[in-house]
Amino acid sequence: MFQVHPSPVAAPFATSWQTRYQAVRAQSQALCAPLLPEDTVVQPMLDVSPPKWHLAHTTWFWETFLLKEYVPGYQVFHPEYAFLFNSYYNSLGSRVNRADRGTLSRPALADVLAYRAHVDEALTALLAAPEALPPVFFELLELGLQHEQQHQELLATDIKYILSTSPLAPAYLRNELKVKSEELTGAISEAATDFNSSLLTFNSNKASWLPVPGGIHRIGFQEEGFCFDNELAAHDVLLAPFELQNRLVTNADYLAFMEAGGYRDFRFWMGEGWDLAQAEGWEAPLYWVKKEAGWYRFTHHGLQAVNLAAPVTHVSFYEADAYANWAGARLPTEAEWETAARHFGPATENGTWLESSCFDPQPVPGDADPTQCHQLLGDCWEWTYSAYHAYPGYARAAGALGEYNGKFMVNQLVLRGGSCATPESHIRVSYRNFFHADKRWQFTGIRLARSSNG
Amino acid sequence: MFQVHPSPVAAPFATSWQTRYQAVRAQSQALCAPLLPEDTVVQPMLDVSPPKWHLAHTTWFWETFLLKEYVPGYQVFHPEYAFLFNSYYNSLGSRVNRADRGTLSRPALADVLAYRAHVDEALTALLAAPEALPPVFFELLELGLQHEQQHQELLATDIKYILSTSPLAPAYLRNELKVKSEELTGAISEAATDFNSSLLTFNSNKASWLPVPGGIHRIGFQEEGFCFDNELAAHDVLLAPFELQNRLVTNADYLAFMEAGGYRDFRFWMGEGWDLAQAEGWEAPLYWVKKEAGWYRFTHHGLQAVNLAAPVTHVSFYEADAYANWAGARLPTEAEWETAARHFGPATENGTWLESSCFDPQPVPGDADPTQCHQLLGDCWEWTYSAYHAYPGYARAAGALGEYNGKFMVNQLVLRGGSCATPESHIRVSYRNFFHADKRWQFTGIRLARSSNG
Amino acid sequence: MFQVHPSPVAAPFATSWQTRYQAVRAQSQALCAPLLPEDTVVQPMLDVSPPKWHLAHTTWFWETFLLKEYVPGYQVFHPEYAFLFNSYYNSLGSRVNRADRGTLSRPALADVLAYRAHVDEALTALLAAPEALPPVFFELLELGLQHEQQHQELLATDIKYILSTSPLAPAYLRNELKVKSEELTGAISEAATDFNSSLLTFNSNKASWLPVPGGIHRIGFQEEGFCFDNELAAHDVLLAPFELQNRLVTNADYLAFMEAGGYRDFRFWMGEGWDLAQAEGWEAPLYWVKKEAGWYRFTHHGLQAVNLAAPVTHVSFYEADAYANWAGARLPTEAEWETAARHFGPATENGTWLESSCFDPQPVPGDADPTQCHQLLGDCWEWTYSAYHAYPGYARAAGALGEYNGKFMVNQLVLRGGSCATPESHIRVSYRNFFHADKRWQFTGIRLARSSNG
Amino acid sequence: MFQVHPSPVAAPFATSWQTRYQAVRAQSQALCAPLLPEDTVVQPMLDVSPPKWHLAHTTWFWETFLLKEYVPGYQVFHPEYAFLFNSYYNSLGSRVNRADRGTLSRPALADVLAYRAHVDEALTALLAAPEALPPVFFELLELGLQHEQQHQELLATDIKYILSTSPLAPAYLRNELKVKSEELTGAISEAATDFNSSLLTFNSNKASWLPVPGGIHRIGFQEEGFCFDNELAAHDVLLAPFELQNRLVTNADYLAFMEAGGYRDFRFWMGEGWDLAQAEGWEAPLYWVKKEAGWYRFTHHGLQAVNLAAPVTHVSFYEADAYANWAGARLPTEAEWETAARHFGPATENGTWLESSCFDPQPVPGDADPTQCHQLLGDCWEWTYSAYHAYPGYARAAGALGEYNGKFMVNQLVLRGGSCATPESHIRVSYRNFFHADKRWQFTGIRLARSSNG
């Protein structure tokens, strides 16, 4: 049996499971509400799946792992959907080539929404009588909710990429009150620069190094509630003393690297990163565009002047690592990161997460405490210099769910902390996200570390 | 000046130009009416453009070549659209990479329709006072209409391909009265087989060879009205006497080739065709699917049992040529084809074109005259064994329209006759269509020729 | 039976066949004599086969089509060689992927030479008693000789390409007496420029247009002796009157095109040619290198100053066509070319061929007759604007030799006239060479035509 | 300054440095002695460089880093060689594209040997008066020797791959006394099977698990003499107790995995490995060939029956990992491996290395002690489940040598132990070799680990 959580999941009242299920499901659709049907179909690069596909795939997950197992005589919505919406489970048969997801106009968005309604109806009915269901059902239920939330983050970042490919730079969030945001329709206000200048004082001057003691530390999931199998089991690691910067690298910091020729000096780069950056002509993070008035970047709010005090984001590991080398520092390992996050405590968490709910990580306030560690959780996924490998004692689950995490445990790097696009319940100190070193379309950022006395 | 027609175009009444313009424009949108917005976005292979793109590109053509030239102070609908919807005119600047047309969800279909309305309004206004316009304007107007009609055929074939990629095999024409058609939803009627049997008698037994005398013949445009520059100038060719089959190769004929191992015997194939067929695993024409009950093919009406008496279609030149070799015959040259079409007269034309309006070429009726040449016009584009080269004396037009035809005059083959998806005014004996030898997504068919005494 | 020649081959004396066989075979090896073993192995691009492969493949041809057929109990030299050295005959089984020919260091050159000796011994023995052999044997013998000569031209051009890839620009013909040649070792003599200036007078001033009457002309093989099946059968063509330039386009002519921006102006180019030229960064013919002192080109004699009066060579069809468009002319069709070549008579032939034996086509002498047509045979393969298609009545031979020519008869263009690298007996007015429009590594050149009054 | 070793290098007598230099240089050439010139040119896959290139590149290293720095007025052998033979040093300018190394026939092998002689003469002269040279020179000298030895291993493995591509399966070591080896010329002796059977007893029955205690262990270079910068600095790691198998996985073991369907069951595989194995059609380790008589593999001695008792080799990380999963075990981390190697002591080393000098790792003798850990050093590079990342405190050297190791420290995995092709002085417990997970052409093998109680 797939152990998705170390302790029994509390499910005291039927209504609470039902309510939570409905809320999560509704959130996926809410994320797509600002989209046109056209936006839900395309796949402008391999990593980006059509929103329509995300809506259907998450539904297929419920159908496959819960309804077909626990509803006697359950009729699947459509016999071809298992082929169409299986993501990567070899256990569950053949499927559409990943690169072809964006070539399929049908089933249409309306069909997918009908599919969602069909499955939601069945699951809601099932959850009306939870006492009849075995404990393992609730483990799968929890996994299904977490899975759907993972796809919510992908929806946010995939939608951003999809909208960015148009020269029209359409905004996803049009009506939001964001004082300093503006769409680039002709003239650009000078406010952006002023805005940046005021905040810059804090950020440039007060970036501080916070010491973390060495010794044996315990990392991995140690709390109550849900975690993924890849966070298990908690185990001890030995660390030398080190220091971590008290905030993320800002756009101003990164611009200094750019202006110092960081993209043209191979000495700071991993070889494979350098070759890729040359081949792709990288000169700035993803989404950055140089205009006469300065640097802009595409956001969920359309094209915006770069906020110098905000954390740099949409950088690959290669860029994060090159920046760190240029800055005379390094990236933390995941053990260092988690140790520091546990060391500096959960108070930090509250400070930033709510600010980031606009899909745009915000600067540390100018009056923030320089002895505190900011932006650890819910701002940017922070690249670590740790390969995404199995923890000691890790074992793949039996059955199809054994393919959920384990088969990816090579050739990728761990990212920590969660981003402004991560659902709140996905943000915890032990969470291990992972991407290949070249990926830039997530809200990935940089935090510097350095060895003490090093 | 671009000579799109050899004689002055009659434009007697302002209303007639206006009406014709509006009719052609409406037809493009009518073709997209059965589609969902999702269908208008995707590009499942390089040759297939999103319907939304066709709707916008034809509009850009009007805006660029007519409105910007003849409406003083005309404001383009959007400054980025020239970049987005230029197809291949180097004269008119940079443009979206062709392979990326299907990655752009924006501008949305509604935006494109607004673009169409904007341009239609301006052109309709212009055409309200045609007397103020110079003759060259009407040449461009005629070209614009013809251009839009070319894209109507592409819309028909691209839509077919787009719908075909879904395993759901959705029908484009759902409500049409087509007695023998049925969608493949579970059981398949046996009627298809009966239908085929009855027609088969005529087609299999009565395919006849019609002689065409040798000597000097004149080909190229020699009529009144519009033609493309590539049909000019009419010139003499010397032909040896030859024979042409009185009908297109049928599905029954082609099935015999398949069953005789035609796809597995390299001796019938051009080398490049053979290599491609092996690499792609070709075993039948495009859109054919083998079911337990026999061969089916995807059509605008959904999945249909193969009608044995109907012309085979969606074959590449390689397949057409291999079939001809297997059958002990050959494909005609374009000079032979045009000479024969002129020889057998326009009476043939009426017989078939109306039958084909369902985007599905129909069989020759069982009581047809075997001494007549059937299916010459408006059934299938017939592959010829002639390279698409310039006619003697051809010269590219000056300016951007010089890129319309001339730059494609190498590495492609001529097809003749028009298909069931070709707008009627595009069907004439001198019309030269052209595709690369490997293309299969048009309504391409096969007519056999042989040299007399050869 | 494969009809390689229309009339019986004269084979009066056994010794003459034997001698001729030995001479042709010796010539292949002589071409490789200046090479190091290293040079015989590599394949720097797909079109270029390793010289070692050519030496072995031609030998395999003899073994396969003659020895195995006509020597009872013949033992093949090595059972794997049929796999290794079959070029493209599907009839004869699987073979090394063409792209992998340059990855095989074994069999070594010495092994290949032993293979040649083995086969030569057997064939020489067979030819000692020719009276015992049937007529068809001599047809195959002739074909084998012609085949080996075709590979001699490929050896010459492939060796040139192989040597060109090294920045050392090594010369193949080091000791040749060529007054104006010099290797680029440091300083470059100014003599080249002087040399060019003197010849330029004739070539620039005296290029003349020679009229060719229209009407019905007969093309195709009409002589005694050998021809390939693709030259058969002779047939009539109808031509409008046209004019042909009396010499090939020179380097000076072509330089004017280059300096006029010909490589940067899409209006002169076929679309596919333009895209390729941009993608590959073409700015000059293959092998041209710009130095401070001017343009040089890599030759069999090493790097040489461009001889302005000599014919331009190593241009693709795309470049030839663009040049012609720029010059306000066009390329001839193959029917025009052959008609002109027959019209201007064989006297022209003698003038140039001997001069070209240095693998470097030479200028027309300054005192040449401007009413004569020069450089028709044996200088450069002249691109025509005719697709390489079957002549009327062409039929593939039965068996493996049916793959010799017929399966290539689409997507390529005909070249006429033979080059300085073509063995003399391969040069005839009816000979049809063929390459894809993008190929540049053969000695390809340009001759202009124009329609009379047109 | 580049710290290639932590303690001063002893260089007591001039003659000893000179002798050592000459011995290492001679060894590179000795490795190529059995080759034909043809063998030294080709590059049958990207990872495999032509032997001629290795001979030249190592020479360029000496010329660039020592002669140009320490010989006043040194004249480089040829000005183009820096372009031709720079491997990957961006600091030292542009260079031949790696994929094109196998297209260059020139400079020829003889030229490269002349280059070597030129450089050897200069360096030998320099080493005749070592007292005039600064300490840093000897550090570079040592690095040059180590570098040349690394290329000796690559020469051995690249030569193997080159010879393997020919269907002739030529042997590199023809005259060696290897009782059980035979070339596959027709019949295959049954001895191989007998040989295997006798040894199999020990290996199958007696594979044992050796415990290694947990706790804090010190890894990294801690000895006297040379090491690469990537082995520095020694540091403590915390390990849980674990067990290591006392020998490498044998061919018999691996065959059991194959026969159990290991290559067809995705559950054992990393996702990227599975996809690659499917795309490439992997069914066995590299070089294995199935014959009627059983499995054979290509070796330096030609095609050989698989020795069941010998360690399996030429497996990728993906295969090693899949095997371990199938066997219910795992691969060790590099810290575990080094800790175990230090724990089980150097006595093991002597046992195996000499046996392996034939470029073919040998079985553990039947009477070996099952409580000892065998084959740790000098048999196969053992895949670990550790990413090749920088050790704590690692810093790239300044200048071009900073590119030696540091820029590769992502996306690869560490291998430990040295192989039968590794020069003896390269084999030490702290040595970190690294390859991408898909590489198979090195002598890579598998050793199993498992967590205690786990």
Side-chain angles (χ1 to χ4, degrees), chain D residues 64-273:
Chain D
T64 302
F65 292 106
L66 285 94
L67 294 179
K68 288 171 72 174
E69 297 296 321
Y70 294 96
V71 177
Y74 175 76
Q75 292 293 315
V76 297
F77 183 71
H78 194 291
E80 290 286 350
Y81 280 24
F83 174 77
L84 285 164
F85 299 122
N86 176 2
S87 52
Y88 56 66
Y89 295 87
N90 292 306
S91 310
L92 300 168
S94 65
R95 55 197 175 279
V96 170
N97 188 311
R98 187 181 180 188
D100 293 337
R101 289 179 187 165
T103 67
L104 297 170
S105 65
R106 305 291 180 97
L109 179 57
D111 298 325
V112 168
L113 294 177
Y115 181 33
R116 290 182 71 88
H118 174 89
V119 161
D120 286 352
E121 185 177 8
L123 247 161
T124 302
L126 203 60
L127 293 175
E131 59 283 357
L133 297 161
V136 64
F137 174 87
F138 295 97
E139 293 183 357
L140 291 169
L141 184 66
E142 183 65 45
L143 181 65
L145 294 169
Q146 299 284 339
H147 172 260
E148 182 124 3
Q149 287 182 307
Q150 288 182 308
H151 281 275
Q152 287 166 5
E153 177 155 10
L154 289 171
L155 271 169
T157 52
D158 290 2
I159 288 168
K160 181 173 183 177
Y161 194 91
I162 286 168
L163 296 178
S164 79
T165 61
S166 170
L168 309 178
Y172 168 78
L173 297 171
R174 285 191 176 277
N175 303 318
E176 194 197 2
L177 290 179
K178 226 176 146 275
V179 180
K180 300 300 180 189
S181 303
E182 59 233 313
E183 290 180 64
L184 192 74
T185 50
I188 296 157
S189 154
E190 290 305 306
T193 318
D194 299 342
F195 171 61
N196 289 326
S197 308
S198 64
L199 274 170
L200 205 53
T201 320
F202 165 73
N203 284 287
S204 299
N205 297 346
K206 300 196 184 159
S208 60
W209 289 98
L210 305 178
V212 182
I216 293 179
H217 298 277
R218 193 158 194 81
I219 66 165
F221 188 66
Q222 305 159 45
E223 290 76 22
E224 291 291 300
F226 174 88
C227 78
F228 283 107
D229 59 352
N230 62 12
E231 300 166 63
L232 298 173
H235 59 286
D236 288 337
V237 293
L238 176 66
L239 298 181
F242 66 98
E243 296 175 342
L244 203 68
Q245 276 206 346
N246 74 320
R247 61 158 171 78
L248 294 171
V249 168
T250 63
N251 287 318
D253 296 335
Y254 198 81
L255 206 51
F257 166 70
M258 289 164 57
E259 289 172 356
Y263 278 92
R264 297 186 304 275
D265 192 335
F266 60 84
R267 292 176 303 158
F268 304 125
W269 292 72
M270 290 291 175
E272 296 183 8

Side-chain angles (χ1 to χ4, degrees), chain B residues 355-411:
Chain B
E355 297 176 72
S356 302
S357 58
C358 54
F359 293 154
D360 207 7
Q362 296 302 302
V364 178
D367 58 356
D369 181 349
T371 70
Q372 294 289 310
C373 194
H374 303 279
Q375 300 170 321
L376 273 170
L377 300 176
D379 297 86
C380 296
W381 285 108
E382 305 182 20
W383 285 108
T384 73
Y385 187 36
S386 289
Y388 176 55
H389 281 191
Y391 275 172
Y394 173 81
R396 295 190 194 181
L401 290 174
E403 298 186 63
Y404 199 100
N405 271 318
K407 72 182 182 185
F408 302 108
M409 289 181 169
V410 72
N411 298 340

Side-chain angles (χ1 to χ4, degrees), chain C residues 269-288:
Chain C
W269 292 72
M270 290 290 175
E272 296 183 7
W274 175 253
D275 293 344
L276 180 67
Q278 301 311 297
E280 300 283 319
W282 287 357
E283 298 182 341
L286 180 65
Y287 295 134
W288 285 40

Side-chain angles (χ1 to χ4, degrees), chain C residues 194-307:
Chain C
D194 300 340
F195 170 61
N196 289 327
S197 308
S198 65
L199 274 169
L200 204 54
T201 320
F202 165 74
N203 284 287
S204 298
N205 297 347
K206 300 198 183 156
S208 60
W209 289 98
L210 305 178
V212 182
I216 294 178
H217 298 278
R218 193 158 193 80
I219 66 165
F221 188 66
Q222 304 158 45
E223 290 75 22
E224 290 291 300
F226 174 86
C227 77
F228 282 106
D229 59 352
N230 62 12
E231 299 166 64
L232 297 173
H235 60 285
D236 288 337
V237 293
L238 177 65
L239 298 181
F242 66 98
E243 296 175 343
L244 203 69
Q245 276 206 346
N246 75 320
R247 60 159 172 75
L248 294 171
V249 168
T250 63
N251 286 320
D253 296 336
Y254 199 82
L255 207 51
F257 165 71
M258 288 164 57
E259 289 171 355
Y263 278 93
R264 297 186 303 275
D265 193 334
F266 60 84
R267 292 175 304 157
F268 305 125
W269 292 72
M270 290 290 175
E272 296 183 7
W274 175 253
D275 293 344
L276 180 67
Q278 301 311 297
E280 300 283 319
W282 287 357
E283 298 182 341
L286 180 65
Y287 295 134
W288 285 40
V289 184
K290 188 145 196 184
K291 301 271 179 184
E292 292 239 339
W295 282 102
Y296 285 75
R297 66 196 220 293
F298 182 77
T299 72
H300 282 88
H301 314 276
L303 208 57
Q304 304 267 348
V306 164
N307 180 338

Side-chain angles (χ1 to χ4, degrees), chain C residues 34-45 52 78 80-81 83-84 96 100 102-111 162-163 165-168 170-171 174, chain D residues 34-45 52 78 80-81 83-84 96 100 102-111 162-163 165-168 170-171 174:
Chain C
L35 300 181
L36 299 171
E38 292 92 322
D39 300 322
T40 69
V41 183
V42 297
Q43 181 180 28
M45 73 159 173
K52 184 161 71 73
H78 194 292
E80 290 287 350
Y81 280 23
F83 174 79
L84 286 165
V96 170
D100 292 337
T103 66
L104 296 170
S105 65
R106 308 290 180 96
L109 179 58
D111 298 325
I162 286 167
L163 295 178
T165 60
S166 170
L168 308 179
R174 285 192 176 275
Chain D
L35 300 182
L36 299 171
E38 293 91 322
D39 300 323
T40 69
V41 183
V42 297
Q43 181 180 29
M45 73 159 173
K52 184 162 70 74
H78 194 291
E80 290 286 350
Y81 280 24
F83 174 77
L84 285 164
V96 170
D100 293 337
T103 67
L104 297 170
S105 65
R106 305 291 180 97
L109 179 57
D111 298 325
I162 286 168
L163 296 178
T165 61
S166 170
L168 309 178
R174 285 191 176 277

Side-chain angles (χ1 to χ4, degrees), chain A residues 38-39 41-42 105-106 109, chain B residues 38-39 41-42 105-106 108-109:
Chain A
E38 293 92 320
D39 300 322
V41 183
V42 298
S105 64
R106 306 288 181 95
L109 178 57
Chain B
E38 293 91 321
D39 300 323
V41 184
V42 298
S105 65
R106 307 288 180 96
L109 178 57

Side-chain angles (χ1 to χ4, degrees), chain C residues 99-435:
Chain C
D100 292 337
R101 288 179 187 166
T103 66
L104 296 170
S105 65
R106 308 290 180 96
L109 179 58
D111 298 325
V112 168
L113 293 177
Y115 181 31
R116 290 184 71 90
H118 174 88
V119 162
D120 286 351
E121 184 177 9
L123 247 161
T124 301
L126 203 59
L127 293 175
E131 60 283 356
L133 296 161
V136 65
F137 174 87
F138 295 97
E139 294 182 357
L140 292 169
L141 184 65
E142 183 64 44
L143 182 65
L145 293 169
Q146 299 283 340
H147 172 259
E148 182 124 4
Q149 287 183 307
Q150 289 183 306
H151 281 275
Q152 288 166 5
E153 178 156 8
L154 290 171
L155 272 169
T157 52
D158 289 3
I159 288 168
K160 181 173 181 175
Y161 194 91
I162 286 167
L163 295 178
S164 79
T165 60
S166 170
L168 308 179
Y172 168 77
L173 297 171
R174 285 192 176 275
N175 303 318
E176 195 196 0
L177 290 179
K178 220 171 152 279
V179 179
K180 300 300 178 188
S181 302
E182 58 232 313
E183 288 180 66
L184 192 74
T185 51
I188 296 155
S189 156
E190 291 305 304
T193 317
D194 300 340
F195 170 61
N196 289 327
S197 308
S198 65
L199 274 169
L200 204 54
T201 320
F202 165 74
N203 284 287
S204 298
N205 297 347
K206 300 198 183 156
S208 60
W209 289 98
L210 305 178
V212 182
I216 294 178
H217 298 278
R218 193 158 193 80
I219 66 165
F221 188 66
Q222 304 158 45
E223 290 75 22
E224 290 291 300
F226 174 86
C227 77
F228 282 106
D229 59 352
N230 62 12
E231 299 166 64
L232 297 173
H235 60 285
D236 288 337
V237 293
L238 177 65
L239 298 181
F242 66 98
E243 296 175 343
L244 203 69
Q245 276 206 346
N246 75 320
R247 60 159 172 75
L248 294 171
V249 168
T250 63
N251 286 320
D253 296 336
Y254 199 82
L255 207 51
F257 165 71
M258 288 164 57
E259 289 171 355
Y263 278 93
R264 297 186 303 275
D265 193 334
F266 60 84
R267 292 175 304 157
F268 305 125
W269 292 72
M270 290 290 175
E272 296 183 7
W274 175 253
D275 293 344
L276 180 67
Q278 301 311 297
E280 300 283 319
W282 287 357
E283 298 182 341
L286 180 65
Y287 295 134
W288 285 40
V289 184
K290 188 145 196 184
K291 301 271 179 184
E292 292 239 339
W295 282 102
Y296 285 75
R297 66 196 220 293
F298 182 77
T299 72
H300 282 88
H301 314 276
L303 208 57
Q304 304 267 348
V306 164
N307 180 338
L308 294 175
V312 68
T313 190
H314 296 298
V315 288
S316 64
F317 170 81
Y318 296 128
E319 290 160 298
D321 177 68
Y323 175 83
N325 286 336
W326 172 81
R330 60 174 176 80
L331 302 177
T333 64
E334 73 165 319
E336 288 175 337
W337 191 95
E338 183 169 334
T339 298
R342 292 183 181 281
H343 181 71
F344 294 117
T348 325
E349 187 173 357
N350 298 330
T352 56
W353 202 77
L354 291 180
E355 296 175 70
S356 301
S357 57
C358 54
F359 292 154
D360 205 7
Q362 296 301 304
V364 177
D367 58 355
D369 182 349
T371 70
Q372 293 290 312
C373 194
H374 302 279
Q375 299 171 321
L376 274 169
L377 300 176
D379 298 85
C380 295
W381 285 107
E382 304 182 20
W383 285 107
T384 73
Y385 188 36
S386 289
Y388 176 56
H389 282 191
Y391 275 172
Y394 174 79
R396 295 190 194 181
L401 290 174
E403 297 187 64
Y404 198 100
N405 272 318
K407 73 181 181 185
F408 302 109
M409 288 180 170
V410 72
N411 298 340
Q412 307 201 41
L413 291 147
V414 171
L415 301 100
R416 290 300 197 102
S419 82
C420 59
T422 315
E424 192 160 5
S425 64
H426 264 262
I427 298 180
R428 58 184 169 269
V429 291
S430 59
Y431 195 100
R432 309 178 77 199
N433 203 353
F434 50 93
F435 286 103

